[in-house]
Amino acid sequence: MFRRTRRLAVISALAVAAVVLSACAGASPDPVKTSDGKPDPDATLTVGLVLEPTNLDIRHTSGAALEQILVDNIYEGLVTRAQDNTIEPRLASDYEVSGDGLVYTFTIDEGVTFHNGTAMTSADVVASFEAVRTDASLQGNAEFANVASITAPDASTVVITLSEPNQNFLFALTGPAGLIFQAGDTTDLQTAENGTGPFTLQNWSKGSTITFDRYDEYWGEPAGIAEVVFEYIPDFTAGVNAALDGSLDVLTAVDPNLAPQLEDSGEFVMTKGRTTDKATLAFNNAKAPLNDARVREALRLGIDHEALIEAVGAGQPLYGPIPELDPGYEDLSDLVPYDPKKAKELLAEAGQEDLELTLTIPAFYGTTVPQVLISDFSKIGVTLEVDSVEFPTWLEDVYTNKDYELSFVLHVEPRDFGNFADPDYYFGYDNPEVQKLYADALAETDPDESAKILAKAARLVSEDHAADWLYTGETITALRPTVSGFPEDSINSRINLAGVTVAAD
C-alpha cells in the first residue's frame, strides 16, 4: 500500500502560457527571495499575463489561461502538483492507494469552507467527482472513464475505486477534473466563483484585468498579499513597456529578445523556469514522403537544434517525446546528432534528393523557427515552404483533417505521451509496440517501474522519428526586487500565489 500524509502544520509551511489545444527529474527550486524587506500583508501584486480566459468556467472550458490563475488560488483539489509536477496533498490531509492500484482513500482536512462560508464535506467531493464521471461536457470526463465508484464512508473520507489501475489517475486529480465544487451550488461559473482557495474573485474587467482578494477565512495559511491584479497584455513589447513604466510588479512570458531591456534597467530580477512545453515539429507519418522513416530521420539530422534554441532565445534541447518534468524522461540526444551529410545520404537512399515540403504553422508563433528550418533544410537539399495560418484554420486543417506534411506547435500539456500511442491523433503514428508499452505503463502500480516502461516507449518513438522535438520551452519572468516567493517553473500553466509576498516600501 502506498501512503502519503500531510499534517496541518506542514500545510501551513507549504502554503508560504497549450498544444495550446488545450516521477520527475529533480525538485523545483525554492521560491526566489528577492527582498529582505518586511512583507506588507496589505500589499497589492500586479502581474502581467499574455492569454486572457474567454470565461471563468473551468469545469466546462479548457485552456491554460484558466488553470494558470484559478487552480490553487480560487479552486482546490484533494491533491495538487508542485512546480516540478510532483503530486502533493491539498484539501486531503492523507491519501492512500491500495497495492493493486484500484482503491484511492482520501482524508479531508478539517475547517475547509467555500467562499460563501459553507463548510466543505465529503459529500461535496463525491458530487464533484460524480459530475465529472457522468457528464461528458465536464473537463476530465475521459480521465474518469475507469472510475467504478465514488463513496463517502463519513464526512471526512472519500473512497474512489477504479475498474483497472491507472498510473495517471492521481495526476489527473491535480487538474480541472479534481477540483471540488459545492454540491447543488448555482453560482454562474462563467463570471463568478465559489471555491475553497486562498483568494476570491473581486472583479473581472474583460479585455483588461482580473482581480483577486485574499480570503481571510481560508482554512490554511492565509495568503501573504491582500490583492492580486492580473493585467492581460497580449503584445510582448507592450508588456515590457508596462513593466518599465512601473505598472507591473511581475511580467511573465517575457520575450527572450526583449528580456535585456528589463535586465539592463536594473529594476527587475530575471528568472528562468522549466516547463513541459514541447516545441514539436510534427511529421504526418501517414502521408508520403513522411511515411518513410528515412525521410523523417534525415529531416531531424538536418536540424541544428542548438543553433535553433539560440535563435529562439530560450529553451533546452529535447530529442524525444517526454520532457524533463515528466515521468520517463531520458536524454535521447544520441539518436539524432546534427549530421547534414548523413541526412543527404538518407534522402538519396529514399529517392528524395530534391524534396519539397510545406510547413503549416499557426501565425502567432512568428517567423524565427520557420526561418531556421528553411535555412537548415536547404543545406540538405530540402525546399521548405511555410504556410502561416490562423489558429482556427490550423485546428481544422492539421489537427482535425490531418491535411498537412509538416507542422509546428507547442504541446504544453504535461504527461501527454499518450498522443503517440493513439494512431488516430494528428501525427498519424501507429506503432502497436508503443501502444502496448503505454498501456503497460498505465497499468503498472509502481511509479518507478511505470516510468521505466514509458522511457522504453519514448525511445522507440524517437527511434522511429515520429516527430522532431526542437526544444523544451523555458519561461522568463521579470520581478521587482520587492516581490518574493513568486513561482519559477511551470508558470505558463499554473501560478500558485499563496506564498508570494511584497515588501513594504
Side-chain angles (χ1 to χ4, degrees):
M1 178 177 290
F2 175 64
R3 181 180 178 90
R4 290 287 301 271
T5 303
R6 181 189 63 173
R7 298 269 55 95
L8 187 57
V10 180
I11 298 170
S12 300
L14 291 178
V16 164
V19 167
V20 174
L21 302 173
S22 223
C24 310
S28 291
D30 292 332
V32 176
K33 188 174 187 292
T34 55
S35 174
D36 292 324
K38 183 179 179 181
D40 178 6
D42 298 322
T44 294
L45 178 75
T46 305
V47 181
L49 299 178
V50 175
L51 188 61
E52 181 180 14
T54 56
N55 67 75
L56 299 181
D57 187 357
I58 196 169
R59 300 203 86 183
H60 292 90
T61 308
S62 64
L66 281 173
E67 289 194 46
Q68 187 179 44
I69 64 170
L70 295 183
V71 177
D72 290 335
N73 294 319
I74 296 290
Y75 299 110
E76 299 174 298
L78 297 181
V79 289
T80 189
R81 67 183 80 140
Q83 290 184 58
D84 64 355
N85 280 342
T86 53
I87 299 169
E88 298 180 338
R90 186 72 176 204
L91 292 176
S93 57
D94 308 339
Y95 68 82
E96 299 178 4
V97 183
S98 62
D100 60 7
L102 297 178
V103 181
Y104 293 70
T105 303
F106 299 90
T107 301
I108 300 171
D109 264 308
E110 298 179 358
V112 179
T113 63
F114 291 99
H115 293 159
N116 65 3
T118 304
M120 190 201 81
T121 70
S122 59
D124 298 299
V125 179
V126 172
S128 297
F129 290 170
E130 279 291 351
V132 174
R133 185 176 73 88
T134 59
D135 186 347
S137 71
L138 293 187
Q139 293 297 305
N141 171 260
E143 296 165 314
F144 272 52
N146 294 329
V147 174
S149 66
I150 308 164
T151 60
D154 55 56
S156 62
T157 306
V158 173
V159 178
I160 302 175
T161 303
L162 306 185
S163 58
E164 58 186 55
N166 183 350
Q167 183 61 229
N168 276 350
F169 181 70
L170 196 62
F171 189 81
L173 294 184
T174 69
L179 299 178
I180 308 304
F181 299 84
Q182 184 179 351
D185 189 19
T186 59
T187 300
D188 181 1
L189 298 182
Q190 294 251 338
T191 57
E193 59 83 13
N194 184 28
T196 62
F199 293 95
T200 62
L201 175 67
Q202 178 198 120
N203 180 63
W204 182 14
S205 178
K206 292 187 179 181
S208 179
T209 62
I210 294 178
T211 303
F212 291 171
D213 283 340
R214 178 173 53 221
Y215 179 45
D216 289 329
E217 303 305 316
Y218 182 57
W219 61 275
E221 185 77 14
I225 45 180
E227 183 182 65
V228 182
V229 179
F230 299 105
E231 288 202 12
Y232 289 95
I233 312 172
D235 180 81
F236 292 122
T237 300
V240 169
N241 291 338
L244 291 173
D245 72 17
S247 300
L248 304 175
D249 298 305
V250 178
L251 178 63
T252 65
V254 176
D255 185 314
N257 296 312
L258 301 175
Q261 296 183 39
L262 296 167
E263 198 164 16
D264 294 345
S265 74
E267 298 178 18
F268 294 91
V269 174
M270 310 298 291
T271 66
K272 279 189 176 181
R274 299 174 296 172
T275 74
T276 56
D277 293 9
K278 298 160 288 293
T280 305
L281 179 64
F283 301 150
N284 192 337
N285 287 251
K287 183 176 183 178
L290 281 311
N291 59 350
D292 189 328
R294 294 170 298 182
V295 174
R296 300 194 301 268
E297 182 179 3
L299 295 178
R300 297 187 73 193
L301 291 169
I303 299 171
D304 186 342
H305 292 81
E306 295 287 352
L308 187 146
I309 292 171
E310 185 176 351
V312 170
Q316 294 295 326
L318 179 67
Y319 295 94
I322 298 180
E324 181 186 5
L325 294 179
D326 280 352
Y329 170 76
E330 180 185 2
D331 181 358
L332 299 175
S333 56
D334 61 302
L335 297 180
V336 280
Y338 180 49
D339 192 342
K341 180 181 178 182
K342 184 178 179 182
K344 289 181 181 180
E345 293 172 353
L346 285 169
L347 289 173
E349 183 182 319
Q352 300 288 350
E353 293 97 331
D354 298 311
L355 185 59
E356 296 181 1
L357 294 171
T358 298
L359 173 73
T360 306
I361 180 172
F364 57 75
Y365 284 124
T367 62
T368 301
V369 168
Q371 287 173 347
V372 171
L373 293 178
I374 289 171
S375 175
D376 281 353
F377 286 168
S378 69
K379 297 172 185 176
I380 61 172
V382 175
T383 300
L384 185 66
E385 178 183 338
V386 177
D387 186 13
S388 180
V389 301
E390 296 304 313
F391 192 57
T393 301
W394 185 91
L395 285 171
E396 178 71 17
D397 293 348
V398 177
Y399 186 70
T400 302
N401 296 330
K402 305 164 190 169
D403 182 14
Y404 78 102
E405 291 178 323
L406 305 179
S407 187
F408 172 81
V409 77
L410 282 175
H411 282 261
V412 306
E413 297 87 350
R415 302 198 186 196
D416 63 354
F417 176 80
N419 293 337
F420 289 95
D422 179 2
D424 294 325
Y425 199 65
Y426 82 96
F427 298 148
Y429 176 67
D430 188 356
N431 184 326
E433 185 177 0
V434 169
Q435 293 157 25
K436 182 181 185 304
L437 285 170
Y438 182 62
D440 291 345
L442 291 182
E444 173 56 59
T445 58
D446 185 303
D448 293 334
E449 290 302 315
S450 176
K452 290 178 182 177
I453 298 171
L454 283 174
K456 183 177 180 181
R459 178 171 281 274
L460 279 177
V461 170
S462 191
E463 288 174 344
D464 281 345
H465 309 289
D468 189 72
W469 301 272
L470 301 176
Y471 58 89
T472 305
E474 286 183 315
T475 58
I476 302 176
T477 305
L479 308 99
R480 292 200 176 277
T482 53
V483 178
S484 287
F486 198 87
E488 291 184 46
D489 292 338
S490 303
I491 63 172
N492 54 334
S493 60
R494 187 162 302 184
I495 303 177
N496 185 346
L497 294 172
V500 177
T501 60
V502 177
D505 292 333

